[in-house]
Amino acid sequence: MAIKRLAAFAAVYVLWGGSYLAIHYVVTVVPPFFAAGVRYSLGALVLFGVAVVCRGQPLPGWRHILNAASTGIALLVVSYGVVYWAETRVPSWIVSILVSTILIWTYLGECFVLRLYKWRARVLLPLIAGLCGMPLLLQGTLTEDRSESLLVGLAVLAGSCLWAAITLSLKKIELPRSYIQTAAIQLGAAGGTLLSISLICGEFSQLPPAGEIFAPGPVLGMAYLVLASTVIAFSAFHWLLARESAALVATSSYVNPVVAMVLGIVVAHEPSSNAQLAGAAVVLGSVVLAWYLQWPAFSSQSSPDKAGIADKDTRDRLAAIPAQ
């Protein structure tokens, strides 16, 4: 069992961390919204096959399907679709650091909007620390136009804020009991929507020749996103949620950007500067600080039973995320 746990953590840490580099290799050849649409559509087909064919799970009702589809579109199109677009303009490792701030926005939403925890001045520390690191992180990206770099950074941050808001709202939405079916419906709805957006934006006419699309780089990148990131790491994530502390499983959210940063700089030779690396350290530190401040709040404000309820709430919130 220990080997299984180590393998599951390795899958969640490394495979999800490597998804940003895989996106980089795909969007360097294929337009971003088309790439995202194909990835999510293929992932939906695989997960539907696992849920219906392999496990024999009955299909959910229409209300659950519509709820899952709408949240999938909001999460993966509006919030996460911008990641594919951003990686055509800035290094993948910078995008991964910005996405990791989802934990900060979720934490602040739980304190100030849902009021799950008593407000303390220290709640603002992660936000302040993260904001201090942003200018350094976005300094000197791939583009010479600093205004475009700033726009890309703000777009990814806005998508992360929206992801956190939608994830918190999922507590009040009835979704299919099977997390695999939920993810499959979310991925399918997002994939179809993104392909429609791609068609409207004229990306279909911008597709390169078939020889370039089916070159090793984009093909292996897409296979990685569908199989390694969406299926294997996703399954390992939920397997861990059923057996480990939600706080421990949640550490993947700040390990993934470190893996993405190392792979982006070392493997893809993406540009980086000392200032950017310092900014990345500050932002990641703010994410770790958010969890450090959050989890003691569970034990200090509640009895053991209530702490267990808080942990379950966090499991539900983490389980709402279908895949990186």
Side-chain angles (χ1 to χ4, degrees):
M1 185 62 71
I3 295 178
K4 287 184 178 180
R5 279 184 164 84
L6 289 175
F9 272 111
V12 172
Y13 285 167
V14 178
L15 296 183
W16 269 355
S19 65
Y20 293 95
L21 182 61
I23 293 173
H24 164 77
Y25 283 124
V26 173
V27 299
T28 53
V29 177
V30 181
F33 297 127
F34 179 85
V38 171
R39 181 256 178 109
Y40 291 139
S41 297
L42 291 176
L45 290 175
V46 173
L47 290 180
F48 266 125
V50 171
V52 178
V53 178
C54 298
R55 295 194 175 186
Q57 296 174 346
L59 293 175
W62 281 107
R63 182 176 64 178
H64 295 90
I65 292 176
L66 291 176
N67 287 343
S70 60
T71 56
I73 292 172
L75 287 170
L76 298 175
V77 176
V78 181
S79 299
Y80 204 67
V82 70
V83 169
Y84 290 77
W85 170 78
E87 288 205 27
T88 63
R89 289 162 170 79
V90 299
S92 64
W93 69 269
I94 289 182
V95 175
S96 71
I97 302 288
L98 294 173
V99 171
S100 72
T101 60
I102 287 174
L103 283 179
I104 298 177
W105 310 127
T106 304
Y107 173 45
L108 294 176
E110 288 176 330
C111 290
F112 292 105
V113 179
L114 297 183
R115 300 186 182 277
L116 294 179
Y117 320 118
K118 184 179 179 181
W119 180 85
R120 291 184 174 89
R122 67 180 187 177
V123 169
L124 296 177
L125 289 177
L127 179 60
I128 295 172
L131 291 176
C132 290
M134 291 300 170
L136 293 173
L137 182 62
L138 295 175
Q139 179 263 338
T141 57
L142 278 178
T143 64
E144 295 181 359
D145 186 350
R146 298 295 178 86
S147 61
E148 183 183 23
S149 299
L150 179 61
L151 175 62
V152 172
L154 291 176
V156 176
L157 286 175
S160 299
C161 288
L162 182 59
W163 183 291
I166 296 170
T167 301
L168 292 175
S169 69
L170 287 176
K171 293 176 179 288
K172 301 179 181 179
I173 298 176
E174 292 186 24
L175 296 171
R177 290 185 178 181
S178 166
Y179 65 82
I180 294 180
Q181 286 187 354
T182 298
I185 295 170
Q186 289 176 330
L187 289 168
T193 302
L194 282 164
L195 288 176
S196 299
I197 293 174
S198 175
L199 179 62
I200 294 172
C201 292
E203 285 188 348
F204 278 59
S205 62
Q206 301 171 11
L207 290 174
E212 295 182 23
I213 295 177
F214 292 100
V219 168
L220 292 176
M222 184 61 69
Y224 181 97
L225 289 171
V226 173
L227 298 176
S229 181
T230 304
V231 178
I232 298 176
F234 168 75
S235 300
F237 178 75
H238 283 279
W239 186 86
L240 286 171
L241 275 181
R243 294 164 175 81
E244 299 286 350
S245 162
L248 185 59
V249 179
T251 57
S252 65
S253 297
Y254 52 81
V255 174
N256 294 154
V258 176
V259 174
M261 182 168 62
V262 172
L263 291 176
I265 295 173
V266 175
V267 177
H269 305 293
E270 293 180 332
S272 63
S273 66
N274 291 333
Q276 286 176 310
L277 294 177
V282 172
V283 174
L284 286 175
S286 70
V287 173
V288 176
L289 179 61
W291 278 102
Y292 175 79
L293 295 177
Q294 182 177 11
W295 288 100
F298 289 151
S299 57
S300 63
Q301 295 182 34
S302 25
S303 65
D305 290 340
K306 290 184 178 180
I309 293 173
D311 189 67
K312 180 181 182 300
D313 287 341
T314 304
R315 289 178 187 274
D316 293 339
R317 168 161 52 82
L318 293 172
I321 302 176
Q324 292 285 339

